[in-house]
Amino acid sequence: MNKWATLLGAMLLTGCVATPDPGSEKITVLWGDALEMLHCEDKGVVVGSQGHWYDYWLIEDGVLTQGAVNELRNKAMLLEADTVLLYAPKPFSTSVTFLAKAYRCHP
């Protein structure tokens, strides 16, 4: 019985993958050089992260990655940005984390 309660608890905790807010899918996500963003207004740093030490083994890597990107876009939208420039992903074994700069490139 205790084994089932633990499994059920872990499954309930895994339902927390970020989904895109309405309109955030319009935000462009780029890898590249900050020099490309010289004509854009810097809106700040955003972090997108998905996965935890207790549930990473229950969620596919692609789902964690998409959740982290969704979180980046959602946070960038709150800053009124239209583009995020990703830095190299942070290497964690139990989660996916992206650090990015948010920019407003189009009026």
Side-chain angles (χ1 to χ4, degrees):
M1 181 67 164
N2 201 12
K3 177 175 70 170
W4 291 109
T6 302
L7 182 60
L8 179 62
M11 290 176 71
L12 290 172
L13 293 173
T14 62
C16 300
V17 175
T19 57
D21 289 340
S24 69
E25 69 277 350
K26 296 177 185 173
I27 294 175
T28 304
V29 178
L30 302 174
W31 292 93
D33 190 343
L35 292 176
E36 299 173 33
M37 310 310 284
L38 287 177
H39 67 282
C40 302
E41 177 187 358
D42 184 343
K43 301 299 270 183
V45 174
V46 289
V47 177
S49 186
Q50 294 291 291
H52 305 90
W53 64 268
Y54 54 82
D55 69 355
Y56 73 95
W57 55 277
L58 294 171
I59 306 171
E60 295 178 13
D61 289 344
V63 173
L64 289 175
T65 302
Q66 187 61 55
V69 171
N70 289 342
E71 190 172 275
L72 279 176
R73 285 182 164 150
N74 294 345
K75 290 178 178 180
M77 189 174 69
L78 292 174
L79 296 174
E80 298 181 355
D82 57 21
T83 305
V84 292
L85 181 66
L86 292 172
Y87 298 129
K90 301 299 174 197
F92 296 107
S93 61
T94 60
S95 65
V96 175
T97 300
F98 291 112
L99 178 66
K101 284 286 268 184
Y103 293 93
R104 179 107 184 132
C105 297
H106 307 290

